[in-house]
């Protein structure tokens, strides 16, 4: 999460993707840095009611229209920060994933957002294209080469080489290549945010294409339809997540075990790596839970 400024400068809106989190941090900074600042003082400054301000701080209201104009005026944001904050408001109010994806694309393209350096926030962009994730994971392969032509030849699904070049540049800027302490990033347990939704949609499209493109011996697709008590859904979700974690642990431990067998640190040509996508789906086909 973005860090609240501890000195004279307010938190930068360009480090946020959540308008409420930014406003809350800004308000806390203002209270700390400005003697006499209070709800009533900000009310007088903006003409907004105390109840309205309280609801915004609690996340129960999303400012819009004239109220948003007054709020931004009271915060004395620069024109650039003003425009970015309004974009975060539109992101929050977007009616569907497609609209959120379009707004996120504009946010990611904003030079101020790129410059802000909030890596944990900007890494959401990493989820927006499937081959970003693939290239990042390929770095753990013993014969990995940070070369666009080599990477393109390894991918089973077509990606223009110029897109791979762009992906490598982006991953370097996000400090997700040549990291001294690399970690595997995973999607949240609950799919939230347009970037993550776009990631899952992209991977589901690849799964459909894999039915024709990938030989049966290299893929596994199975499905079953069950009538289950609604109260069992949390347990089923937990079991699916446990299975995915076990698969990841199996992969991580296998490298160490294989290395011990031949005295090396990791598998080599005798045990070549391939890059796989593991995904599970569970969703209702009919019926509605009570309540």
């Amino acid at each position: 999460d973005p860090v609240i400024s501890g000195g004279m400068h307010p938190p930068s809106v360009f480090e946020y993707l959540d308008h409420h989190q930014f406003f809350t941090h800004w308000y806390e900074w203002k209270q700390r840095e400005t003697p006499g600042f209070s709800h009533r003082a900000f009310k007088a400054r903006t003409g907004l009611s105390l109840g309205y301000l309280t609801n915004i701080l609690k996340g129960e209201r999303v400012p819009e229209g004239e109220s948003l104009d007054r709020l931004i005026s009271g915060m004395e944001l620069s024109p650039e920060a003003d425009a970015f904050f309004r974009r975060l408001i539109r992101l929050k109010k977007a009616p569907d994933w497609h609209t959120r994806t379009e707004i996120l694309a504009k946010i990611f393209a904003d030079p101020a957002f790129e410059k802000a350096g909030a890596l944990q926030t900007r890494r959401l962009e990493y989820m927006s294209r499937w081959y970003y994730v693939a290239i990042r994971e390929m770095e753990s392969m013993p014969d990995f080469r940070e070369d666009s032509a080599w990477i393109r030849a390894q991918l089973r699904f077509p990606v223009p080489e110029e897109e791979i070049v762009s992906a490598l540049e982006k991953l370097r800027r996000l400090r997700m290549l040549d990291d001294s302490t690399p970690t595997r990033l995973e999607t949240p347990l609950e799919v939230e945010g347009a970037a993550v939704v776009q990631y899952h949609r992209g991977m589901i499209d690849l799964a459909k294409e894999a039915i024709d493109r990938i030989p049966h011996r290299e893929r596994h697709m199975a499905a079953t339809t069950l009538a289950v008590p609604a109260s069992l859904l949390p347990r089923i979700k937990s079991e699916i997540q446990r299975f995915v974690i076990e698969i990841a642990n199996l992969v991580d431990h296998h490298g160490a075990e294989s290395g011990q067998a031949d005295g090396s640190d990791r598998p080599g040509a005798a045990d070549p790596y391939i890059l796989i996508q593991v995904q599970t789906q569970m969703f209702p086909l009919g019926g509605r839970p009570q309540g």
Side-chain angles (χ1 to χ4, degrees), residues 17 36 39 44-45 77 91 98 101-102 126 129 152 172 174 184 189 194 201 239 256 258 264 269:
L17 285 176
H39 287 1
R45 187 172 179 175
L77 298 180
L91 181 65
H98 182 73
T101 299
E102 290 182 341
Y126 160 82
R129 292 177 174 84
R152 185 171 186 268
R172 292 189 198 103
L174 295 179
R184 177 183 290 113
L189 299 186
R201 285 178 174 269
E239 289 296 314
S258 298
S264 63

Side-chain angles (χ1 to χ4, degrees), residues 8-70:
M8 297 297 294
H9 299 291
S12 169
V13 68
F14 301 107
E15 295 185 9
Y16 293 78
L17 285 176
D18 185 316
H19 81 283
H20 175 251
Q21 186 183 46
F22 166 69
F23 180 67
T24 300
H25 286 181
W26 178 90
Y27 207 87
E28 292 172 354
W29 167 84
K30 193 70 174 177
Q31 287 180 315
R32 187 176 63 250
E33 299 291 336
T34 306
F37 182 84
S38 65
H39 287 1
R40 292 189 180 278
F42 196 62
K43 168 188 177 298
R45 187 172 179 175
T46 61
L48 300 173
S49 70
L50 287 178
Y52 191 85
L53 286 174
T54 300
N55 287 338
I56 293 177
L57 285 168
K58 289 181 177 179
E60 296 174 354
R61 292 290 297 270
V62 179
E64 56 186 338
E66 183 180 352
S67 296
L68 176 58
D69 294 339
R70 291 186 178 188

Side-chain angles (χ1 to χ4, degrees), residues 67-116:
S67 296
L68 176 58
D69 294 339
R70 291 186 178 188
L71 185 73
I72 291 176
S73 177
M75 296 173 71
E76 298 182 335
L77 298 180
S78 69
E80 295 78 14
D82 177 326
F84 195 87
F85 186 65
R86 292 176 188 273
R87 189 167 286 159
L88 295 185
I89 295 290
R90 291 197 294 274
L91 181 65
K92 176 65 176 181
K93 297 177 68 66
D96 52 59
W97 77 271
H98 182 73
T99 304
R100 289 194 296 273
T101 299
E102 290 182 341
I103 296 172
L104 268 179
K106 294 177 181 178
I107 289 174
F108 291 149
D110 192 310
F113 183 75
E114 179 76 20
K115 186 178 179 181

Side-chain angles (χ1 to χ4, degrees), residues 250-267:
L250 173 66
V251 172
D252 292 338
H253 293 156
H254 177 72
E257 294 170 357
S258 298
Q260 292 173 0
D262 61 9
S264 63
D265 293 331
R266 57 205 296 187

